[in-house]
Coordinates of all heavy atoms in Angstrom, one line a residue:
G122 N -7.0 32.8 -16.9 CA -8.0 32.7 -17.9 C -7.6 32.3 -19.3 O -8.3 32.8 -20.2
D123 N -6.5 31.6 -19.5 CA -6.2 31.1 -20.9 C -6.7 29.7 -21.1 O -7.2 29.0 -20.2 CB -4.7 31.1 -21.1 CG -4.1 32.5 -21.5 OD1 -4.5 33.5 -20.9 OD2 -3.4 32.5 -22.5
R124 N -6.6 29.3 -22.4 CA -6.9 27.9 -22.7 C -5.5 27.2 -22.8 O -4.5 27.9 -23.2 CB -7.6 27.8 -24.1 CG -7.8 26.3 -24.5 CD -8.9 26.3 -25.7 NE -8.4 27.2 -26.8 CZ -7.7 26.8 -27.8 NH1 -7.2 25.6 -27.9 NH2 -7.3 27.7 -28.7
E125 N -5.4 26.0 -22.3 CA -4.1 25.3 -22.3 C -4.1 24.0 -23.1 O -5.1 23.3 -23.0 CB -3.6 25.0 -20.8 CG -2.3 24.2 -20.8 CD -1.7 24.1 -19.4 OE1 -2.4 24.3 -18.4 OE2 -0.5 23.7 -19.4
E145 N -6.5 19.1 -23.9 CA -6.7 20.6 -23.6 C -7.5 20.8 -22.4 O -8.4 20.0 -22.0 CB -7.4 21.2 -24.9 CG -6.5 21.1 -26.1 CD -7.0 21.9 -27.3 OE1 -8.1 22.6 -27.1 OE2 -6.3 21.9 -28.3
L146 N -7.3 22.0 -21.8 CA -8.0 22.4 -20.6 C -8.7 23.8 -21.1 O -7.9 24.7 -21.5 CB -7.1 22.7 -19.4 CG -6.4 21.4 -18.9 CD1 -5.3 21.8 -17.9 CD2 -7.4 20.4 -18.3
E147 N -10.0 23.8 -21.1 CA -10.7 25.0 -21.6 C -10.3 26.3 -20.9 O -10.2 27.3 -21.5 CB -12.2 24.8 -21.6 CG -12.8 24.2 -22.8 CD -12.3 24.9 -24.1 OE1 -12.5 26.1 -24.3 OE2 -11.7 24.2 -24.9
E148 N -10.1 26.2 -19.6 CA -9.7 27.3 -18.9 C -8.6 27.0 -17.8 O -8.9 26.1 -17.0 CB -10.9 28.1 -18.2 CG -10.4 29.4 -17.7 CD -11.6 30.3 -17.3 OE1 -12.8 29.9 -17.5 OE2 -11.3 31.5 -16.9
E149 N -7.5 27.6 -17.9 CA -6.5 27.3 -16.9 C -5.6 28.6 -16.8 O -5.5 29.3 -17.8 CB -5.6 26.1 -17.3 CG -4.6 25.7 -16.3 CD -5.0 25.6 -14.8 OE1 -5.7 24.6 -14.5 OE2 -4.8 26.5 -14.1

Side-chain angles (χ1 to χ4, degrees):
D123 273 49
R124 179 165 55 87
E125 178 171 13
E145 298 193 359
L146 300 168
E147 267 316 300
E148 191 167 1
E149 183 50 77

